[in-house]
Amino acid sequence: MGVETLEPYDDNNIFARILRGEIPARPVYEDDHAFAFHDINPQAPTHVLVIPKGRYVSWADFAAKAADGEIAGFVRAVGAVARELGIEEAGYRLLANAGPNSHQEVPHLHVHIFGGKKLGPMLVTP
Ligand code: AMP
């Protein structure tokens, strides 16, 4: 399933339902602005998703509409999660898909954190 249009926000997307506690998740971190949990289909030994608690479809949507405190809180949360996962020294990758070309599947902004092995080239070439 792809994200055909980035807006409006769909309150029934799977991450909105996780935030409401309607679907279980394996939590890693939570604060006022962000929630982090293990990806259900991990692509690396460490694969965690960090999401803002607000209703934002993409990075552009978040950057345009979120309050400064939400943006600062989310960015700090991503850093805190990487630290808590213990992958800073060995290194890790952040990735945020947005829109159909990126194959974004869930229309709630999320940053993937990958680590725990050498991650190889940035993009898989077809
Ligand atoms: P993206 O393609 O960037 O939208 O990534 C969506 C990610 O969400 C994928 O890596 C999925 O494996 C992950 N995902 C989907 N449903 C769940 C879920 N219920 N709990 C945790 N991760 C999920």
Side-chain angles (χ1 to χ4, degrees):
M1 176 187 64
V3 175
E4 300 305 329
T5 55
L6 286 182
E7 290 185 80
Y9 183 83
D10 170 12
D11 280 302
N12 284 321
N13 79 74
I14 200 144
F15 294 167
R17 299 184 68 200
I18 285 175
L19 283 172
R20 291 197 296 268
E22 294 168 9
I23 292 176
R26 283 207 297 139
V28 171
Y29 176 94
E30 181 165 15
D31 65 23
D32 287 349
H33 297 294
F35 182 56
F37 52 100
H38 291 280
D39 196 290
I40 205 168
N41 183 22
Q43 306 296 310
T46 298
H47 184 175
V48 166
L49 302 169
V50 191
I51 65 175
K53 288 192 169 174
R55 300 164 72 254
Y56 305 105
V57 174
S58 67
W59 194 278
D61 187 27
F62 184 60
K65 294 183 191 155
D68 289 355
E70 289 177 274
I71 293 173
F74 182 65
V75 172
R76 290 204 171 97
V78 173
V81 172
R83 239 180 352 262
E84 286 190 11
L85 290 168
I87 55 176
E88 275 211 321
E89 195 175 331
Y92 60 93
R93 179 172 295 154
L94 303 181
L95 183 148
N97 290 318
N101 271 4
S102 75
H103 206 265
Q104 180 181 7
E105 289 181 353
V106 181
H108 180 116
L109 171 62
H110 48 285
V111 170
H112 297 256
I113 302 180
F114 300 103
K117 69 169 188 179
K118 291 205 181 297
L119 294 167
M122 193 157 55
L123 294 177
V124 177
T125 46

